[in-house]
Amino acid sequence: MDASSPLRLLRVSAEKGTSSEQLVRTSLAKIRESPSAFVQVFEESALECARSVDKAEIHGPLAGIPIAVKDLLDVARTSKASGSPTVLGERVATEDAVVVRRLREAGAVIIGKTHLSELAFTGLGYNPHYDTPLSPFGRLPGGSSSGSGVAVSLGLVPAAVGTDTGGSVRIPAAWCGVTGFKPTVGRVPTEGCQTLSDTLDSIGPLANSVEDCALLFRVMAGLPEAQFPLEPSDTSQLRFLVPNLSFVDVDGPVLAAFETALTALEAAGTSLVRAEVPELALTLSPTINLMVAEFAATHRDITDCADMDKIVSGRLRLGSQMKAVDYLHATSTLRSLRTAVDRATKGFDGMLMPTVAVVPPTLEHVLSSEAAMAEAAGKTSHFTRIGNGLRRCAVSLPCHLHEGEGSSPVGLMVVGETDGDEACLAVSAAVEAVLRKAGLGVRKP
């Protein structure tokens, strides 16, 4: 059995006599030891569901597996604050979000809701209304799906669900040393999920392997292939575009880990072509303009921002002041850029770049001043936002160096084509195998 797939191992353990109730009780005990990753824990309903699985009353590819979901998603008869309990307030959901319903139908045990940045709109993973969960590296976990990343990284659950509008699955995946998948917009339904940007929102999984992410993606997307194993691509047949990213300052440990990963891929027979793709840098401004405008439209009824995270309130004000002509210009600009980048990447299996340009800061550093917080927040999403603006799917894989050579978590991002989700996952599984063989991204403190 493939040790890289915790979900498969859990199913095998259940087949050998480990009950779902035991799995859930183990997760609950771990959550009690590291509670800050969660804002709600559904102990009673989770145990009830697990017992139903053990009685063979519930079946499916995720039968009995504890899964956490981000507190942007509706879970029937539970409250949702979207990380903003004082401004947005808590509201009780009358029914499950579509993805939550599909996870349940696949047999998953929804064990709780995870911590997030306020209204899902910063990449640090800090939220002034809750305790901040730290990654195993003792640093900020990345956001906005911070609790989902920490929950998987600490082994509280084998997989979790996040959302990604500008990098909110992939940033915490990179900073927590786990795997995260951002599907193409529209592949996973967003009904029952708090909106940030209608144009860019997507829901994706965080887990410990590409195979696990593929399984959750297929379930949430309603694909019949959910039960089939992922077939990795042949590494020696892969051809990647590595764009020049000099328009962003990349931290030394990030660059070192990324280049080491590229060397390992070349040694495995993968073809890498380094090239200029100037359109990538040009996507950054119109993408953030689109995000803040649609964010402001979503939350146009919010009038008092005094208790809101200052970075989030600043983006809300920026969006509310944007003119319609600027919003439409951003939309048309992105359409043109997508066409140009599609031409540049034709014939490649994907683009490779670091997930995040910087190593995660400490909580103490960002709390030292508003300037430190703003500077750190501004450095998190340059590369991830490119994928959102281009409406592409992408996987973040851990690729940090061996312990002793630098323990800062680093992610390598595989950017696929629009609607090329299955191909992107298969390619990423092949890259993941090379990285693990090279010992990259496999150790946590």
Side-chain angles (χ1 to χ4, degrees):
M1 184 54 60
D2 183 2
S4 71
S5 177
L7 291 184
R8 291 175 64 191
L9 285 173
L10 283 172
R11 290 201 299 277
V12 168
S13 69
E15 292 167 4
K16 291 182 177 179
T18 303
S19 69
S20 175
E21 183 175 352
Q22 287 174 295
L23 295 177
V24 170
R25 287 191 181 278
T26 298
S27 274
L28 289 170
K30 291 179 178 179
I31 291 169
R32 282 191 287 271
E33 293 174 1
S34 302
S36 60
F38 284 78
V39 296
Q40 291 184 68
V41 180
F42 309 138
E43 182 168 348
E44 184 176 335
S45 63
L47 288 171
E48 181 180 349
C49 180
R51 294 182 189 116
S52 295
V53 172
D54 292 335
K55 294 175 185 176
E57 297 172 351
I58 296 177
H59 306 275
L62 294 173
I65 306 301
I67 302 292
V69 300
K70 187 177 183 177
D71 188 32
L72 282 187
L73 296 168
D74 287 343
V75 175
R77 298 177 298 282
T78 71
S79 61
K80 179 178 75 175
S82 302
S84 188
T86 62
V87 178
L88 201 61
E90 295 189 355
R91 294 164 292 175
V92 176
T94 57
E95 59 184 11
D96 287 335
V98 173
V99 296
V100 173
R101 187 187 76 235
R102 288 178 176 176
L103 288 167
R104 290 194 199 275
E105 290 171 349
V109 177
I110 306 302
I111 202 165
K113 286 186 159 190
T114 53
H115 178 283
L116 70 156
S117 307
E118 186 160 13
L119 297 177
F121 208 3
T122 70
L124 294 174
Y126 167 75
N127 187 319
H129 307 294
Y130 303 98
D131 289 340
T132 300
L134 300 181
S135 78
F137 299 86
R139 292 173 174 265
L140 284 177
S144 63
S145 307
S146 43
S148 293
V150 172
V152 173
S153 189
L154 293 179
L156 312 184
V157 291
V161 178
T163 64
D164 195 310
T165 306
S168 291
V169 162
R170 291 160 292 157
I171 296 168
W175 280 7
C176 290
V178 300
T179 304
F181 176 51
K182 173 224 171 297
T184 302
V185 172
R187 291 299 305 273
V188 176
T190 57
E191 289 83 358
C193 179
Q194 174 63 55
T195 302
L196 193 162
S197 163
D198 280 325
T199 303
L200 303 175
D201 287 348
S202 60
I203 298 174
L206 296 95
N208 287 292
S209 70
V210 176
E211 182 179 30
D212 290 347
C213 285
L215 174 56
L216 262 72
F217 162 68
R218 289 166 172 175
V219 166
M220 294 190 295
L223 300 177
E225 302 89 351
Q227 71 274 21
F228 299 124
L230 180 68
E231 295 294 336
S233 302
D234 181 351
T235 310
S236 65
Q237 300 299 312
L238 295 178
R239 185 169 181 259
F240 289 110
L241 176 63
V242 183
N244 183 341
L245 301 173
S246 59
F247 56 89
V248 175
D249 290 331
V250 180
D251 280 356
V254 174
L255 189 60
F258 180 66
E259 290 294 339
T260 301
L262 296 184
T263 299
L265 286 168
E266 287 186 307
T270 301
S271 174
L272 304 180
V273 177
R274 297 180 186 259
E276 300 286 341
V277 188
E279 293 84 3
L280 298 183
L282 299 178
T283 65
L284 295 176
S285 180
T287 301
I288 193 64
N289 286 345
L290 199 66
M291 289 171 63
V292 297
E294 295 188 352
F295 177 66
T298 297
H299 297 293
R300 59 190 177 278
D301 295 332
I302 295 178
T303 57
D304 184 3
C305 300
D307 291 332
M308 187 180 288
D309 181 303
K310 286 183 170 54
I311 293 173
V312 179
S313 63
R315 291 173 175 175
L316 183 62
R317 283 191 297 272
L318 181 64
S320 64
Q321 295 165 2
M322 186 169 295
K323 297 177 181 178
V325 65
D326 295 325
Y327 172 78
L328 293 173
H329 178 66
T331 301
S332 62
T333 298
L334 285 172
R335 278 199 300 268
S336 298
L337 290 171
R338 288 168 194 147
T339 300
V341 176
D342 286 347
R343 285 196 298 266
T345 60
K346 187 176 181 179
F348 290 95
D349 293 291
M351 288 189 289
L352 300 180
M353 59 185 75
T355 307
V356 187
V358 296
V359 297
T362 64
L363 177 61
E364 292 76 16
H365 172 72
V366 300
L367 292 179
S368 64
S369 68
E370 289 185 13
M373 179 77 75
E375 181 184 19
K379 293 180 177 180
T380 58
S381 65
H382 288 102
F383 297 149
T384 54
R385 203 190 320 153
I386 289 170
N388 297 90
L390 296 175
R391 296 179 67 85
R392 293 188 172 216
C393 55
V395 173
S396 178
L397 301 168
C399 72
H400 48 274
L401 299 175
H402 303 284
E403 196 170 5
E405 297 176 0
S407 60
S408 296
V410 177
L412 178 146
M413 186 164 56
V414 182
V415 182
E417 299 289 332
T418 304
D419 291 321
D421 299 69
E422 287 287 337
C424 183
L425 287 163
V427 164
S428 297
V431 173
E432 175 185 65
V434 172
L435 298 182
R436 290 188 172 182
K437 185 176 181 181
L440 299 175
V442 296
R443 297 184 185 179
K444 302 187 185 92

